[in-house]
Amino acid sequence: MQAAHHVRRTLHHVFLLLFSGAMAFPFYWMVTSALKTNDEIWQFPPTFWPSSPQWGNYLEAWLEAPFWRYLTNSIVVAGVIVLLQALNSAMMAYALTHMRFRLKKAFTAIIMLGYMIPSTAVYLPSYMILAKLHLLDSYAGLILSNCVSVFSIFLIRQAFLQVSHELVEAGQIDGASHMRILWSILVPVTRSSFVVLALITFIDHYNNYFWPMLITKNPDLQLVSAGLRSFFVEGGAYGLKWPLIMAASSFTIAPLLVLFLFAQKTIMKSFNMSAGASKG
C-alpha cells in the first residue's frame, strides 16, 4: 500500500516536471537562439545550444534601439496604473461589500455588466474624451485612461466578501473611520489578492500594444510592445536579424520574470483562499 503511494507520488512529480519543462522550453529556445548566428537558428536538425555562443548579440540588440527608454516607459506607466487601480478598486469594493446605501445592488449589477463589455468597444469614446481633455500623446493619457478597471473591482470585491463583517463592525465600534477600516483591516487580510491584482495588471499594461499605439504618436512615449515592433519592422530587423530579435525579446520580458520571482510566494498563498465565498 505504501509502495503504491510512493509510485503515484513519483509519477505525479514526473508529470509535473515534464509539464514544467514543456512550458519553459519556449523561453529557453528564445534565450539560446539569441546566442546563435542567423544560419544556426534555421539549421535542421536544430541545435539546443549554440556551437559558439554570440554573447555580443545582446549588447548589439540593446544598442540598435532605445530599449532602455521603452522599458522605462512601460515599467513606470504600468507601475502607476497598478497603484491607481489598487486604490480605486479597494475603495469601490469596500463600498459594495461592507457599506449600506441605496442602489447598492444596482451599482453591483452595473459593474458585473461592465465586466462583460469588451475593452475594444470603449476605445472610440475613450479616445474622444482624451482628445477633449488634451491628454492624447502624453503620459497622463496613458495612465489616466487605465486607472479604473472593472476586473480589478470585481477581483477585490470577491476577496473582501471572504472577510467577516464582524471585523468591520468591531472597527466601527472602536470609532475607526471607513478609510481606517479599509487600510488597517481589510487590505492586510486580503494582501495576497492585491499582489495577484498587481501582477495581472502590471503584465497586462506592460505588454499593452493597441491602445498606447492609438493614443500616442511620439516615439519617446513608446512602450515595450510598440518599441519591439519598431525594431522588428521599421528598423529592418524583421526576417534579417533573428538573433537580435530573440535577444531583444529576452531582455524585454526580464522585468516580468523578476516581478514573478518576488511575488510567487504570495501568489501561491492566494490559492488557499476560495474565491467567491459569501460573508458568513
Side-chain angles (χ1 to χ4, degrees):
M1 195 71 179
Q2 189 175 4
H5 174 72
H6 284 304
V7 170
R8 286 196 300 268
R9 187 179 180 86
T10 301
L11 292 176
H12 178 71
H13 282 84
V14 169
F15 172 77
L16 291 177
L17 182 63
L18 293 175
F19 183 76
S20 301
M23 295 295 292
F25 181 76
F27 296 98
Y28 171 81
W29 184 260
M30 177 177 63
V31 172
T32 56
S33 294
L35 301 175
K36 300 177 181 178
T37 62
N38 209 45
D39 292 335
E40 195 173 6
I41 288 179
W42 296 102
Q43 179 180 324
F44 187 83
T47 57
F48 294 97
W49 183 258
S51 56
S52 179
Q54 307 293 315
W55 297 102
N57 286 342
Y58 281 97
L59 179 60
E60 184 178 352
W62 181 263
L63 297 177
E64 282 276 340
F67 282 107
W68 62 270
R69 188 173 64 217
Y70 302 150
L71 288 170
T72 302
N73 288 343
S74 293
I75 292 173
V76 171
V77 169
V80 175
I81 290 174
V82 166
L83 293 176
L84 292 177
Q85 284 196 15
L87 178 66
N88 290 325
S89 60
M91 292 190 293
M92 179 63 77
Y94 175 77
L96 294 176
T97 54
H98 294 288
M99 292 181 67
R100 293 184 178 90
F101 58 93
R102 298 180 63 183
L103 301 178
K104 177 178 177 179
K105 292 184 178 180
F107 277 110
T108 304
I110 291 173
I111 290 175
M112 296 300 103
L113 179 63
Y115 187 58
M116 294 183 287
I117 298 175
S119 59
T120 52
V122 298
Y123 278 175
L124 180 57
S126 298
Y127 184 92
M128 295 175 65
I129 291 172
L130 290 179
K132 291 288 185 180
L133 296 175
H134 304 288
L135 293 177
L136 293 176
D137 211 23
S138 67
Y139 286 111
L142 287 170
I143 293 170
L144 294 179
S145 61
N146 294 290
C147 66
V148 178
S149 168
V150 176
F151 168 76
S152 300
I153 296 172
F154 177 77
L155 179 64
I156 301 305
R157 173 184 175 271
Q158 295 303 103
F160 283 1
L161 283 172
Q162 300 172 62
V163 179
S164 174
H165 190 65
E166 282 73 16
L167 286 175
V168 177
E169 291 178 339
Q172 293 173 344
I173 292 173
D174 289 339
S177 64
H178 288 300
M179 294 299 291
R180 181 68 182 274
I181 294 171
L182 173 61
W183 299 112
S184 299
I185 299 176
L186 291 175
V187 172
V189 171
T190 58
R191 182 181 60 181
S192 58
S193 295
F194 279 93
V195 173
V196 172
L197 169 64
L199 186 64
I200 294 175
T201 304
F202 187 90
I203 292 174
D204 182 30
H205 292 284
Y206 181 88
N207 292 323
N208 200 2
Y209 172 76
F210 186 79
W211 177 246
M213 284 290 292
L214 184 64
I215 65 173
T216 58
K217 301 300 180 185
N218 187 349
D220 292 336
L221 297 177
Q222 284 187 335
L223 305 187
V224 161
S225 297
L228 281 174
R229 180 189 179 278
S230 299
F231 178 64
F232 293 171
V233 181
E234 298 172 13
Y238 185 74
L240 301 175
K241 303 176 181 178
W242 281 105
L244 301 188
I245 292 174
M246 295 296 183
S249 301
S250 298
F251 55 66
T252 53
I253 67 169
L256 301 180
L257 296 178
V258 172
L259 179 65
F260 178 77
L261 289 176
F262 278 103
Q264 62 177 333
K265 290 184 179 180
T266 308
I267 293 172
M268 296 308 296
K269 289 180 182 178
S270 69
F271 287 104
N272 295 326
M273 303 176 66
S274 56
S278 60
K279 295 181 293 182

